[in-house]
Amino acid sequence: MTALFEHSPWVEERADARPSSGDRHADLMAVVHAATPDEQLALIRAHPELAGKAAIDKTLTDASAAEQASAGLDRLTPEEFEQFHALNAAYREKFGFPFIICVRLTDKAGILAAMQARLANDRETEVATAIGQIGEIVRLRLEDQGA
């Protein structure tokens, strides 16, 4: 079974230790929202950069590899790769964590536009946005599992 959260089993473990509301996604996201700021940052940082080193090295999780491929990130031109690399570096330098977006809900052009636009945000906004995007990723992974 695919892990719902990238390298962060603690979210599912904590949700399983609580009474269920009957809405698995809501239960999981309640754990994320109740987590400490450091735990939330660790969750965000557990995600790979888009079209980054893990994709090149083929060390992405199966779910991330499939999701990035669905947006065409496994078929970038050299120019597109350079754009992603530069934006990833600028984003990580400004915020201290990778850019997170639910790639299954957009395409290469949409991702690049979002990366450029979100560089103008403050850190608090980006933490909240990243957590919201992780929520969308998890929602789709749950749907894939039929949950």
Side-chain angles (χ1 to χ4, degrees):
M1 180 173 294
T2 300
L4 296 172
F5 293 86
E6 294 286 315
H7 309 290
S8 303
W10 61 269
V11 179
E12 291 181 74
E13 290 165 3
R14 288 185 195 173
D16 291 342
R18 296 175 163 196
S20 174
S21 69
D23 180 339
R24 181 71 171 157
H25 184 260
D27 293 345
L28 291 166
M29 293 312 294
V31 168
V32 172
H33 290 292
T36 68
D38 285 346
E39 289 171 326
Q40 291 176 345
L41 275 177
L43 175 64
I44 295 167
R45 288 180 177 140
H47 284 73
E49 286 187 344
L50 297 178
K53 184 177 182 337
I56 295 164
D57 295 347
K58 307 280 190 231
T59 57
L60 290 173
T61 63
D62 290 344
S64 281
E67 289 160 357
Q68 289 199 28
S70 76
L73 301 186
D74 60 337
R75 300 176 303 280
L76 297 176
T77 66
E79 295 80 16
E80 289 169 331
F81 179 80
E82 261 320 300
Q83 275 187 293
F84 271 93
H85 182 73
L87 287 167
N88 276 329
Y91 188 93
R92 185 176 286 280
E93 182 175 320
K94 180 170 182 181
F95 298 112
F97 51 82
F99 176 82
I100 309 290
I101 192 167
C102 183
V103 297
R104 288 170 61 184
L105 298 178
T106 190
D107 58 17
K108 278 190 287 193
I111 295 165
L112 286 168
M115 289 175 92
Q116 291 167 336
R118 286 173 48 191
L119 272 168
N121 289 341
D122 62 37
R123 192 165 193 272
E124 184 178 340
T125 299
E126 273 309 294
V127 168
T129 301
I131 289 171
Q133 290 297 306
I134 290 168
E136 288 301 300
I137 293 165
V138 169
R139 182 180 58 77
L140 292 173
R141 288 180 180 178
L142 280 167
E143 287 176 9
D144 291 345
Q145 293 178 3

